Amino acid sequence: MPIAYDVVVLGLGAMGAAATYQLARRGARVLGIDRYAPPHEFGSTHGDTRITRIACGEGPEYTAFAVRSHQIWRELEAELGVELLTQNGLLVLFGPGQRAANHSVPEFLGATVDAAQKAKLAYEILDTAQIRQRYPAFNVADGDEAYHDDVGGFVRPERCVTAQLHRAKALGADLHLNETVISFDQAGGSVTVKTDKGTYHAQELIVAAGSWLPGFLKPALAGQFKVTRQVLYWFRAHGAREHAQFSPQRFPVYIWQVPAPQPIYGFPATGGLEEGVKLATEQDHTATTPAAVARAVGPDEIREMYETYVGPYFPGLSPICVKYKVCLYTQVDRARFIIDRHPDADRVIVASPCSGHGFKHSAGVGELLAQMALGENHQDIARFAFGYAPRSA
Ligand SMILES: Cc1cc2nc3c(=O)[nH]c(=O)nc-3n(C[C@H](O)[C@H](O)[C@H](O)COP(=O)(O)OP(=O)(O)OC[C@H]3O[C@@H](n4cnc5c(N)ncnc54)[C@H](O)[C@@H]3O)c2cc1C
């Protein structure tokens, strides 16, 4: 006889681990299933660090998730004695001339200011001279300016997943790792989930399959998602003196709409000279899948990254790439999240809060997903519906 659960969570990455933890905290009978053993390097939740921002230029509707996530991570830090969140400050840079949009927002600095004001956050605007004086690692051009706040910073994705799965298990969740969901079906007031190892029944199913999600949807819905290959790079500073400029005490996380085909974003150094300094750009033109994506990065790709996006903006970084990671975005038009009930199965919740900016919200989104599954959600989440169309669009 298959085991019956209140909720099955399909996928235990950033969103699924958070949802499973929150369900277990609420005393639900929950089963979390993952085809690998998270944290792993095949999806969207690896690479040591993720930027976190309370002032979200993507839209003020995201702020509450980030605020709640910070609270949850601080609680987990206290409970488990791990370091998850570092608030070393956020810089959002912009300047004159042609600049590519960031997450579909043409002028991300202005949108960030708007979100900060709505969130009643303290922030400051730095002119070129102030940026140069405070953060000499950035080679800004005359006329560049920056938004700065003290609450932004970075969070550790692998540690967050581990912490939440650890707590979920301690609170009674069943976790089935290295088990692949083949299909799910809603009938007779419950959902049946079939895997390569068994069959499970649940009152509700949360599908948090990341870049694998389109494979579970009919073409009309799957077509709303575009999976893209992204590369994270770690470049070595020229020497110890230059590396010190990138320490978390002296260097914030940043998003910079540089005068190049794409914006860049990056982090302070989290290790020594030989571990490099992490930064990246984004690409959204070529679609892929988790099965087909090229996971290697060749010397030409590294050289192009350095020449276009690294050397001109960070003279302290050398062309030596000490590490790279290939990672996947699941993108929706206008960098939106989808968090909605499946249109053909009302006991199935589909969670795709990515579009390249989901991690900072993941602990709060996990709580929302748990509340939805248990019939306890009172938030208005119409903006995250499959068919949501803003009036201005
Ligand atoms: C390069 C990169 C940089 C990013 N930078 C930032 C940032 O700075 N700040 C920020 O806030 N966000 C950032 N993001 C976005 C953020 O990391 C993602 O939104 C988030 O990690 C997505 O989590 P997820 O749970 O949806 O997907 P995943 O973590 O990939 O989880 C999906 C899980 O589903 C499992 N699964 C899939 N199919 C099956 C199946 N059939 N059966 C069982 N299990 C299955 C997979 O194994 C996987 O573990 C970045 C993303 C990338 C790729």
Side-chain angles (χ1 to χ4, degrees):
M1 184 64 189
I3 308 169
Y5 289 93
D6 294 322
V7 187
V8 169
V9 180
L10 192 177
L12 298 175
M15 307 302 159
T20 305
Y21 167 50
Q22 293 295 335
L23 285 159
R25 267 179 102 172
R26 287 165 172 74
R29 287 171 304 161
V30 53
L31 166 64
I33 308 176
D34 202 285
R35 63 189 303 145
Y36 301 111
H40 60 73
E41 300 214 334
F42 305 108
S44 307
T45 307
H46 56 281
D48 189 40
T49 46
R50 291 288 186 267
I51 290 180
T52 182
R53 301 171 266 125
I54 300 294
C56 299
E58 293 85 356
E61 65 269 26
Y62 296 100
T63 288
F65 288 132
V67 169
R68 183 66 187 127
S69 297
H70 284 198
Q71 289 167 351
I72 293 169
W73 289 322
R74 290 294 186 218
E75 284 165 21
L76 285 165
E77 285 179 330
E79 260 171 21
L80 299 174
V82 285
E83 198 181 309
L84 303 176
L85 171 65
T86 304
Q87 290 173 285
N88 64 316
L90 163 71
L91 216 53
V92 177
L93 301 108
F94 194 72
Q98 189 72 22
R99 311 279 165 140
N102 186 61
H103 295 168
S104 300
V105 179
E107 208 198 306
F108 205 72
L109 190 157
T112 303
V113 168
D114 184 47
Q117 288 173 348
K118 289 202 167 79
K120 299 194 174 16
L121 268 192
Y123 69 91
E124 54 189 331
I125 301 294
L126 309 182
D127 63 21
T128 313
Q130 288 169 312
I131 304 169
R132 285 180 180 144
Q133 196 250 325
R134 267 203 224 174
Y135 303 112
F138 291 89
N139 183 26
V140 288
D142 292 343
D144 280 357
E145 56 176 359
Y147 163 99
H148 175 261
D149 71 39
D150 285 331
V151 291
F154 61 94
V155 62
R156 304 303 191 108
E158 291 92 344
R159 291 184 201 168
C160 288
V161 168
T162 301
Q164 289 169 108
L165 291 181
H166 174 79
R167 289 295 298 136
K169 198 167 179 196
L171 291 163
D174 284 346
L175 303 181
H176 290 195
L177 308 183
N178 301 306
E179 180 167 341
T180 301
V181 174
I182 310 295
S183 65
F184 55 82
D185 182 46
Q186 180 177 327
S190 69
V191 185
T192 301
V193 178
K194 290 201 170 128
T195 74
D196 57 353
K197 294 186 182 156
T199 300
Y200 311 94
H201 292 303
Q203 294 299 306
E204 299 270 329
L205 169 67
I206 296 171
V207 183
S211 298
W212 288 262
L213 172 66
F216 285 107
L217 302 173
K218 288 183 187 156
L221 284 185
Q224 296 195 22
F225 302 92
K226 184 172 174 184
V227 175
T228 54
R229 173 182 181 269
Q230 309 295 331
V231 185
L232 299 166
Y233 295 88
W234 285 255
F235 284 94
R236 185 187 185 279
H238 288 293
R241 196 173 52 83
E242 289 84 357
H243 187 77
Q245 291 186 330
F246 292 92
S247 75
Q249 294 74 29
R250 296 174 63 185
F251 191 80
V253 297
Y254 64 90
I255 295 172
W256 189 357
Q257 286 175 278
V258 291
Q262 290 293 328
I264 55 175
Y265 66 92
F267 302 82
T270 55
L273 176 64
E274 300 307 329
E275 287 161 84
V277 177
K278 178 182 163 184
L279 77 171
T281 183
E282 297 183 316
Q283 75 85 14
D284 56 12
H285 42 84
T286 315
T288 188
T289 66
V293 67
R295 299 206 180 256
V297 179
D300 290 350
E301 204 175 346
I302 293 171
R303 191 169 47 248
E304 193 186 327
M305 175 70 189
Y306 183 80
E307 287 173 2
T308 311
Y309 294 106
V310 184
Y313 304 106
F314 296 102
L317 295 181
S318 80
I320 300 167
C321 177
V322 297
K323 189 167 81 169
Y324 64 77
K325 299 275 175 197
V326 170
C327 198
L328 294 165
Y329 276 1
T330 308
Q331 290 174 279
V332 177
D333 186 36
R334 285 171 282 122
R336 269 200 327 126
F337 288 179
I338 301 283
I339 306 171
D340 198 1
R341 298 236 163 224
H342 192 295
D344 301 329
D346 63 358
R347 290 179 176 274
V348 176
I349 297 164
V350 176
S352 181
C354 182
S355 286
H357 61 107
F359 194 85
K360 68 183 73 57
H361 306 298
S362 57
V365 166
E367 185 170 66
L368 168 70
L369 295 172
Q371 289 165 340
M372 287 173 74
L374 300 177
E376 294 169 3
N377 173 45
H378 304 295
Q379 289 182 56
D380 176 6
I381 53 165
R383 281 176 172 279
F384 306 121
F386 275 108
Y388 178 74
R391 263 170 291 167
S392 59

